[in-house]
Amino acid sequence: ILTITVNNAVSNSELISFIQKKTKHRKAKILDNKYLLLRCSAHILNLIVREGLVEMDETIVKVRKFVRYVRSSPQRQSTFKICVEKEKVDFKSQLCLDVPTRWNYTYIMLEKAEKYQKAFERLEEDDPNFLMTIREEAKEEGNDRHEVAWGMDDVDWEKIRIFSKFLKIFYDATLRFSGANYVTSNSFFLELMSIHDTIELEHEKDSYLLRKMADYMKNKFEKYWGNFDNMNHLLYVGLVLDP
């Protein structure tokens, strides 16, 4: 066994330590099993991006409530479809509701909802129950704050476009890390450099919107990938031997 890829659960680290101790005196080992533990890159990337999403939490909540409202009944879906037709929105994909534990679904939700901006704006005008229902739900959840306007204005939609464009880089990297039908270890280092450069670029920009998000992500990135000596060195071997 060359490596075992796991996420960051404490029990997994304990398992690797147990294996290393049990095989301590065996000859058929590679580098004394020093590099047996390989932390899942997709899992670490998930932690990094989720840290950044904290900064845009209010925007996500708004979009999530919009999407949940439309998807909650066939009648509402039909009303929304009429709004789409009225506004001549040329996008056929269905709205997606995200999963709190998987950030990539949050990206997909934002990316699809943004395409239906005009339809949502029409829904606010044509369906009197739309925003009223969302406000009532917020009260029941204890999230209703007077300063929050549950409607979406042009600034909100522009924020979603900016966030979606930024998150797409990480979404694509996650897909490449998670490939099941091809080797992925050889792409790790190049993806890592791309992710690092993306975060650094936004961290140094004047854009307040993405800079704060990049700050959170940079701190998480440094924790796991900031020191190359702390990474599994066999990944570098995979990079060098990539044919």
Side-chain angles (χ1 to χ4, degrees):
I1 297 174
L2 187 65
T3 60
I4 299 177
T5 307
V6 295
N7 62 22
N8 289 342
V10 175
S11 56
N12 284 328
S13 298
E14 291 174 353
L15 170 65
I16 299 297
S17 297
F18 175 77
I19 294 173
Q20 288 172 328
K21 288 177 183 177
K22 281 291 183 181
T23 59
K24 188 175 182 180
H25 300 294
R26 293 186 183 178
K27 292 181 179 179
K29 294 183 297 181
I30 297 172
L31 300 174
D32 291 326
N33 279 344
K34 182 179 179 181
Y35 300 110
L36 187 66
L37 171 61
L38 181 61
R39 298 192 185 281
C40 176
S41 299
H43 180 74
I44 294 175
L45 187 57
N46 175 55
L47 296 176
I48 291 170
V49 178
R50 282 173 61 81
E51 194 76 8
L53 289 177
V54 171
E55 181 54 30
M56 59 175 292
D57 186 57
E58 191 172 288
T59 307
I60 294 174
V61 170
K62 283 186 179 184
V63 175
R64 185 179 295 131
K65 287 185 179 297
F66 273 37
V67 173
R68 186 183 293 140
Y69 177 86
V70 171
R71 286 169 52 98
S72 62
S73 74
Q75 182 181 354
R76 289 175 179 176
Q77 289 180 33
S78 178
T79 302
F80 185 72
K81 186 178 179 181
I82 293 171
C83 292
V84 171
E85 291 170 354
K86 283 182 179 179
E87 293 298 328
K88 297 181 173 58
V89 177
D90 188 22
F91 187 67
K92 306 301 181 186
S93 185
Q94 289 189 343
L95 291 168
C96 170
L97 192 61
D98 69 338
V99 180
T101 55
R102 299 186 67 178
W103 79 267
N104 49 334
Y105 281 95
T106 301
Y107 160 73
I108 294 170
M109 179 183 72
L110 295 174
E111 191 263 342
K112 289 187 176 183
E114 183 270 323
K115 299 287 195 303
Y116 287 111
Q117 175 184 348
K118 290 184 178 180
F120 276 118
E121 289 172 344
R122 168 72 70 164
L123 189 65
E124 287 187 40
E125 296 176 6
D126 292 0
D127 184 354
N129 294 321
F130 179 36
L131 293 183
M132 186 169 63
T133 301
I134 289 175
R135 289 193 191 98
E136 289 301 316
E137 288 178 355
K139 282 182 181 178
E140 292 175 6
E141 295 167 1
N143 294 328
D144 186 33
R145 305 197 303 278
H146 293 297
E147 68 271 17
V148 175
W150 286 107
M152 300 272 281
D153 56 23
D154 288 340
V155 174
D156 288 314
W157 288 112
E158 183 59 26
K159 283 170 67 176
I160 292 170
R161 274 188 283 275
I162 292 171
F163 285 138
S164 295
K165 185 178 179 181
F166 181 56
L167 291 175
K168 188 178 189 307
I169 298 165
F170 302 93
Y171 175 75
D172 291 342
T174 299
L175 293 181
R176 287 190 286 268
F177 277 150
S178 306
N181 298 320
Y182 54 88
V183 177
T184 58
S185 57
N186 56 319
S187 65
F188 163 80
F189 189 78
L190 298 178
E191 292 292 342
L192 188 68
M193 289 298 93
S194 176
I195 293 164
H196 174 269
D197 291 347
T198 299
I199 294 174
E200 282 292 329
L201 184 64
E202 295 301 335
H203 175 72
E204 294 170 2
K205 276 185 178 179
D206 292 332
S207 171
Y208 176 79
L209 196 61
L210 285 181
R211 192 173 70 236
K212 285 202 72 177
M213 179 187 280
D215 284 345
Y216 285 113
M217 296 171 80
K218 180 180 170 67
N219 291 335
K220 205 70 166 181
F221 183 96
E222 294 293 336
K223 178 180 178 181
Y224 291 104
W225 288 333
N227 187 343
F228 290 130
D229 290 334
N230 292 338
M231 295 183 209
N232 193 313
H233 290 188
L234 289 178
L235 287 168
Y236 303 134
V237 176
L239 174 69
V240 172
L241 297 181
D242 179 6

